[in-house]
Amino acid sequence: MSQSIERAIEVLMLLGGGAQTPAEVARRLDVHRSTALRIMDVLFEQRLLRKLPDGRYGIGPGILSLAHRAQDQFDLAQLAHPKLLKLNALRDQTVHLAELQHDEIFYVDKIEPRRSIRLTSRIGQAVCLHTASVAKSILAFLPSKARDAMLDGYVFDKHTPTTLSSRRALERELQLVRERGWATDDGEREDYVASIGAPIRDVDGNVVAAVSVIELKAIHDLKSMESLMLDALLETADAISRELGWTGAPVIR
């Protein structure tokens, strides 16, 4: 990449955090003021920057127009699918992608295993909030008001001996998820499967989705799942988050 293109990208990234003068940009990029001004003027001519009355430059309407026109290219399931396939290929396990949509969580993609029993979950189906690792991965990081709205009047059906059967028990579990960065399902909906899930963040750092891997306990129990797949799961969640614009630090166990 030529140096001028690199500098232009650096200017856009810098001004994305707030308007600045050419002198401030030059200082931040360690270049001469005339160099910074020349780059900024070119970006201004293309409407990628705008000039403010006080002499500062900020992000221009061309960026907003470009982002609006490209919005359809940021469909979560479309962006994530190749990464889900790669995760599935590691050990031929079921992979789920779930997305927060208003006050519900739905499966939006699923990769089936080739060798083991296929699960009954399906794309478009609502996720069980108090059992699924993808649901816990999302609920744990929601603002308390949003979580309260989703769980108000929620019925904690007891599916298996390990099912969390109360709001208090779920909140304790969600606190653990926040502390370590991922969630589990130890046979809480179907007692013969185990699952681990990880949150996916958008450009603002908000958790908007989650990815999980699921396996028959007869093949791998929860402890084995964490040992064998957790690192790959966290890497996948981080990669999808970065496709959505997240630039924060990845979760490291």
Side-chain angles (χ1 to χ4, degrees):
M1 185 184 298
S2 70
Q3 189 176 46
S4 59
I5 295 176
E6 288 180 351
R7 293 297 190 197
I9 293 173
E10 289 175 346
V11 168
L12 290 173
M13 296 298 291
L14 182 60
L15 296 184
Q20 297 187 36
T21 65
E24 290 171 326
V25 171
R27 186 166 57 252
R28 293 287 297 275
L29 299 185
D30 193 24
V31 298
H32 195 275
R33 183 182 181 279
S34 62
T35 301
L37 183 59
R38 183 171 63 252
I39 295 171
M40 294 165 76
D41 281 342
V42 171
L43 294 173
F44 170 75
E45 292 172 2
Q46 299 300 316
R47 301 177 68 247
L48 299 179
L49 294 182
R50 60 193 174 96
K51 295 180 182 178
L52 303 180
D54 60 5
R56 295 180 301 157
Y57 284 67
I59 293 298
I63 291 289
L64 297 179
S65 176
L66 178 62
H68 180 73
R69 287 185 285 120
Q71 191 171 7
D72 289 344
Q73 299 179 37
F74 286 82
D75 174 74
L76 172 64
Q78 179 182 342
L79 286 174
H81 190 73
K83 296 173 177 58
L84 303 184
L85 289 172
K86 184 178 178 180
L87 185 62
N88 161 266
L90 291 177
R91 291 189 177 273
D92 193 31
Q93 295 171 333
T94 301
V95 177
H96 279 147
L97 178 68
E99 183 177 20
L100 176 65
Q101 298 179 2
H102 304 294
D103 59 352
E104 290 190 86
I105 299 171
F106 294 93
Y107 293 115
V108 294
D109 201 358
K110 177 184 180 183
I111 310 299
E112 299 272 16
R114 295 182 299 278
R115 55 174 171 76
S116 59
I117 298 174
R118 297 190 174 189
L119 305 180
T120 58
S121 57
R122 64 184 185 279
I123 296 173
Q125 177 183 1
V127 178
C128 185
L129 297 182
H130 67 300
T131 63
S133 62
V134 283
K136 295 174 189 174
S137 296
I138 295 172
L139 287 171
F141 297 96
L142 290 181
S144 56
K145 287 186 178 180
R147 187 165 61 253
D148 288 343
M150 292 181 68
L151 295 174
D152 183 35
Y154 183 78
V155 178
F156 288 82
D157 291 328
K158 188 76 170 176
H159 300 287
T160 74
T162 58
T163 302
L164 302 174
S165 56
S166 69
R167 174 71 183 271
R168 179 176 296 181
L170 177 61
E171 289 292 351
R172 287 197 297 266
E173 181 80 3
L174 297 181
Q175 178 59 38
L176 179 60
V177 174
R178 283 189 289 273
E179 292 172 358
R180 67 186 180 185
W182 68 88
T184 63
D185 172 1
D186 191 9
E188 297 164 36
R189 182 62 185 266
E190 295 94 5
D191 59 8
Y192 53 89
V193 299
S195 170
I196 51 176
I200 294 170
R201 298 179 183 273
D202 66 8
V203 64
D204 296 316
N206 299 314
V207 172
V208 295
V211 58
S212 67
V213 287
I214 304 95
E215 182 61 280
L216 298 176
K217 283 188 173 184
I219 300 175
H220 293 297
D221 61 13
L222 183 58
K223 186 176 182 179
S224 295
M225 288 281 289
E226 292 177 350
S227 175
L228 294 170
M229 293 297 295
L230 183 55
D231 288 342
L233 174 71
L234 295 176
E235 289 170 5
T236 300
D238 182 67
I240 297 171
S241 297
R242 294 187 185 284
E243 289 280 1
L244 296 178
W246 170 239
T247 58
V251 174
I252 301 175
R253 67 175 177 133

